[in-house]
Amino acid sequence: MSKQVLITGSSRGIGRACALYLAKNGYDIVLHCNKNISKAEEVLSEIKEAGAECRILQFDVKDRAACREILSEDIEKNGVYYGVVLNAGIARDNVFPAMEDSEWDDVLNTNLGGFYNVLKPVVMPMIENRIKGRIIAMSSVSGIKGNRGQVNYSASKAGIIGAVKALSLELAKRKITVNCVAPGVIETDMIQDLPVEEVKKMIPMKRCGKPEEVASLVNYLMSEDAGYITGQVISVNGGLC
């Protein structure tokens, strides 16, 4: 029986790359999207073509009640997840003095609140079923070194690092690993408004990363070979920090 992995924010970008990479390496995938169901359906088709089982869950990770209801129902119907990739996130960049309350709240509630909202209904079933599972959360280079115009985003991604380190201690005796992946500048929709050529000059490798380069690390951390790695923050950033 294949292992099921839930990947939030998996209709595009890094989440999509993780879903396809894991599917090709033998995992069944539980896709998640909030609004972009058509994109998620495209990913589902690609995964099924690769021979893996796949289904889509649609909810807003900010909505705690929806997370609890939909995830609990899915686990009851389809079984406990072996792995979770917490990838869903947003950015609302602005310099701090001009930052709107909504820009702070939306980013923190989605990126950091989503960590709690998604994992809360998922972790206890993993424990009760003695799943030696894997939890991987996406942080960011911004959560490690900060970034101008991203006080909200940096705070949320730094918060994820702290949450991962604490949760890894709680779950270690259950043989559930909890790790952070911290991407740098990756070729996704998230960087479409950046002056990319200028940004590349700041990166020691002088290029942006590819989503598949993040996905390959996620695939390793999901594997049995990574069973002794927990509480870690691993960067994929071309030497940016």
Side-chain angles (χ1 to χ4, degrees), residues 57-69:
L57 302 180
Q58 187 174 12
F59 56 87
D60 185 345
V61 297
K62 293 199 307 292
D63 188 335
R64 187 167 299 161
C67 290
R68 185 186 305 117
E69 180 181 350

Side-chain angles (χ1 to χ4, degrees), residues 123-144:
V123 167
M124 188 52 74
M126 293 173 75
I127 293 171
E128 290 172 343
N129 286 271
R130 301 182 185 277
I131 304 294
K132 296 176 181 178
R134 305 281 184 264
I135 296 169
I136 301 165
M138 288 293 165
S139 181
S140 168
V141 64
S142 295
I144 296 172

Side-chain angles (χ1 to χ4, degrees), residues 84-104:
V84 182
V85 181
L86 297 157
N87 172 74
I90 62 170
R92 298 284 184 268
D93 295 354
N94 206 344
V95 292
F96 190 74
M99 186 169 288
E100 301 288 342
D101 291 351
S102 61
E103 291 171 332
W104 176 269

Side-chain angles (χ1 to χ4, degrees), residues 154-212:
S154 295
S156 70
K157 293 300 187 176
I160 285 171
I161 291 172
V164 159
K165 287 182 174 292
L167 186 59
S168 71
L169 299 177
E170 294 186 12
L171 297 183
K173 64 182 178 182
R174 307 290 185 176
K175 307 298 188 289
I176 299 171
T177 67
V178 189
N179 289 292
C180 248
V181 173
V185 184
I186 308 296
E187 293 174 354
T188 69
D189 294 348
M190 291 278 282
I191 68 165
Q192 62 186 3
D193 295 327
L194 295 180
V196 174
E197 293 308 313
E198 290 300 311
V199 170
K200 286 179 184 177
K201 295 175 184 177
M202 300 165 54
I203 303 169
M205 293 191 78
K206 304 302 179 189
R207 70 173 178 88
C208 299
K210 298 181 183 304
E212 292 75 19

